[in-house]
Amino acid sequence: MNEAQGPTMGDMLSNDELMVGTPSRDSSPTHEVEDNMHTPSFSMQNDIQEDNNNEGQQEMNNTVQREQRIRTQPRHLKDYQVKLPPSVDHAHPSSDQTSSTVHPLSNYVSYDKFSVAHKAFFAAITSHDEPKIFYQASQDERWREAMKKEIKALEQNKTWSLETLPLGKKAIDSKWVYKIKYRPDGSIERFKARLVAKGFTQMEGVDYHETFAPVAKLVTMRTLLSLATKRNWIIHQLDVNNAFLHGYLEEEVYMKIPQGFSEENETRVCRLRKSIYGLKQASRNWYHKFTTVLLDMGFIQAKADHSLFLYKHESIFVAALIYVDDVLVVGNNMATIQHTKSQLNDLFSIKDLGPLKYFLGIEVARTKDGMVLSQRKYTLDILQDSGLLGCKPSPFPMESTLKLGKGEE
């Protein structure tokens, strides 16, 4: 198989500036020639133009508001002193109230019992928004830089090679996923842009075969944390950097050049040599490689949950719980835990996140009296996405006047 020669995407990134906006063009030929002269040979321009036309126009259409009708306060309330939030106070729209939410969440949820440090952690992880689409991220220099780093890391790992798409083959597409990584104290560590293949377009038997890979069960995690709390064990968390890139592909898989990094008039595609996130077989390849390493280190795989690995030597006990690239390490001996971390870091690039604070969307607060598990941020994200963040809370999670039938036909 002949690989095309020439500079890689990472090489060209180091020489040209990443374009994130559509250049303004005048209708005159002079301006058109000048714009073409200043267009770099490698940029985000091609994809951005299409995104600005499609996604940007779609967002503009969504923001177009209907003509507002004139709202007035009901006459029967004019004789009463009514203090309403600005959003519903039609008679006095210029209210001096600090909140326009009808039912502020602060009236129903209190964090007074948490420590100052944990309150700061709560505030940090909920005060930053992550972009949902490429167009949004391309407007921020921090996310543009994160995408550059991701491409360079993939090329340094020799994840793909640029080749001409063979006849009869179909290249899958990819997308960007953006995530803010936090330190244990809640401060931002880095902005992470992850390239994810659209594996749902793969064809079984052609570019993938086996896909199953077990992940940790929540009941296993709760049991392990409960046992560690009762016995006052150490609970640490690890994150494997670019975990799926450690798995090799046996199938012949082609992927389009990532969005924002295609050269003008480029016809080649990426022939994947290693797994990346999103591929149907990526989880299985990574799980097989990581579990093989743990077994070689002396761990024993649990029969009740294949994502749980146990190590026991005399009075020393260490457990490792795997959920894709997130690893929970629990044990009663700090020296053994540190040795385990060191061995894993020699084989994989891991990040030691220290004591457990946030795992699988669950916030963890540990005190001398026990441990508190909360899905506060996860719940707030759902309420915000559904537009119900300021809705009226209900003491009972069901319609109060609902009448249930016997179910007999």
Side-chain angles (χ1 to χ4, degrees):
M1 189 173 297
N2 296 326
E3 299 184 6
Q5 302 295 327
T8 63
M9 287 185 282
D11 296 332
M12 290 184 282
L13 272 176
S14 60
N15 298 325
D16 297 309
E17 185 66 24
L18 191 62
M19 296 290 291
V20 294
T22 304
S24 60
R25 296 184 179 273
D26 195 277
S27 57
S28 62
T30 303
H31 289 280
E32 183 176 356
V33 173
E34 291 178 354
D35 287 340
N36 289 335
M37 291 175 62
H38 291 285
T39 301
S41 59
F42 178 73
S43 67
M44 275 188 174
Q45 183 177 356
N46 296 336
D47 290 324
I48 285 289
Q49 287 178 349
E50 183 178 352
D51 288 334
N52 286 352
N53 294 335
N54 298 332
E55 298 176 353
Q57 185 64 35
Q58 183 178 359
E59 291 181 358
M60 292 176 59
N61 295 336
N62 293 338
T63 57
V64 175
Q65 298 181 353
R66 296 181 180 179
E67 183 178 355
Q68 298 292 332
R69 62 186 178 91
I70 301 176
R71 299 170 181 258
T72 58
Q73 189 173 0
R75 292 185 178 181
H76 65 275
L77 294 179
K78 290 186 176 180
D79 296 333
Y80 297 87
Q81 290 185 357
V82 181
K83 187 176 181 181
L84 299 173
S87 59
V88 295
D89 193 355
H90 310 304
H92 307 88
S94 58
S95 174
D96 57 352
Q97 291 175 259
T98 58
S99 174
S100 62
T101 304
V102 182
H103 304 284
L105 197 62
S106 58
N107 293 350
Y108 308 95
V109 181
S110 175
Y111 307 118
D112 294 338
K113 294 185 178 181
F114 289 101
S115 64
V116 176
H118 210 76
K119 288 180 182 177
F121 176 76
F122 278 171
I125 63 177
T126 55
S127 60
H128 299 91
D129 294 329
E130 298 166 347
K132 303 295 184 182
I133 58 176
F134 173 78
Y135 175 76
Q136 295 174 345
S138 63
Q139 309 305 311
D140 193 324
E141 176 62 29
R142 298 171 298 184
W143 290 115
R144 295 199 299 268
E145 191 64 29
M147 287 187 281
K148 288 182 182 179
K149 291 181 179 179
E150 176 74 357
I151 291 294
K152 287 185 179 180
L154 292 172
E155 291 189 332
Q156 289 175 359
N157 193 53
K158 299 181 180 180
T159 307
W160 59 57
S161 58
L162 293 177
E163 301 179 6
T164 302
L165 184 66
L167 293 177
K169 291 290 184 179
K170 183 178 180 180
I172 62 176
D173 208 344
S174 61
K175 63 175 291 186
W176 288 99
V177 177
Y178 308 96
K179 191 72 176 177
I180 299 177
K181 298 293 185 178
Y182 298 94
R183 298 186 180 92
D185 60 354
S187 59
I188 295 179
E189 179 185 6
R190 61 192 173 104
F191 291 82
K192 172 65 176 178
R194 175 168 289 166
L195 184 65
V196 178
K198 294 183 178 181
F200 56 85
T201 60
Q202 291 180 260
M203 297 180 61
E204 184 177 3
V206 177
D207 45 17
Y208 80 93
H209 298 283
E210 298 291 337
T211 62
F212 175 74
V215 294
K217 303 175 184 176
L218 287 181
V219 64
T220 305
M221 187 195 73
R222 291 171 62 90
T223 304
L224 187 62
L225 293 181
S226 176
L227 184 62
T229 303
K230 290 289 185 181
R231 300 194 177 187
N232 198 27
W233 286 348
I234 304 166
I235 308 175
H236 281 197
Q237 182 181 359
L238 307 177
D239 179 55
V240 183
N241 295 323
N242 297 321
F244 285 4
L245 304 185
H246 296 284
Y248 286 89
L249 279 179
E250 298 179 357
E251 300 84 2
E252 189 175 351
V253 183
Y254 295 89
M255 184 185 73
K256 297 178 183 178
I257 293 179
Q259 188 178 21
F261 292 87
S262 58
E263 193 176 0
E264 189 175 359
N265 300 324
E266 179 62 78
T267 58
R268 295 175 298 175
V269 295
C270 300
R271 163 71 189 278
L272 297 180
R273 303 292 179 178
K274 296 183 180 180
S275 297
I276 65 171
Y277 289 86
L279 291 181
K280 288 184 175 294
Q281 65 269 49
S283 297
R284 183 181 180 87
N285 293 348
W286 159 245
Y287 173 82
H288 176 73
K289 186 164 187 176
F290 193 68
T291 54
T292 302
V293 170
L294 288 178
L295 294 175
D296 293 339
M297 292 169 56
F299 282 81
I300 300 176
Q301 192 172 27
K303 295 182 179 180
D305 190 336
H306 290 179
S307 295
L308 178 63
F309 292 82
L310 308 174
Y311 175 85
K312 194 174 187 309
H313 178 70
E314 297 179 350
S315 61
I316 299 176
F317 176 83
V318 176
L321 186 65
I322 305 174
Y323 194 99
V324 191
D325 57 351
D326 291 318
V327 184
L328 206 61
V329 180
V330 178
N332 59 0
N333 188 280
M334 190 62 184
T336 305
I337 292 177
Q338 292 294 347
H339 180 67
T340 302
K341 293 179 182 179
S342 178
Q343 284 184 299
L344 292 176
N345 191 48
D346 292 339
L347 299 171
F348 313 101
S349 176
I350 68 169
K351 183 170 297 179
D352 188 359
L353 301 179
L356 179 64
K357 280 289 189 69
Y358 191 76
F359 186 73
L360 303 182
I362 300 176
E363 300 160 34
V364 181
R366 190 173 187 179
T367 66
K368 60 180 181 179
D369 298 325
M371 179 179 292
V372 177
L373 302 181
S374 171
Q375 289 185 296
R376 181 193 62 93
K377 183 180 183 302
Y378 178 72
T379 305
L380 292 178
D381 289 343
I382 294 178
L383 291 175
Q384 185 173 7
D385 291 342
S386 59
L388 299 175
L389 193 59
C391 67
K392 182 179 180 181
S394 173
F396 188 68
M398 185 180 291
E399 187 179 347
S400 59
T401 58
L402 180 64
K403 294 183 179 180
L404 301 177
K406 296 182 179 180
E408 299 177 356
E409 296 182 357

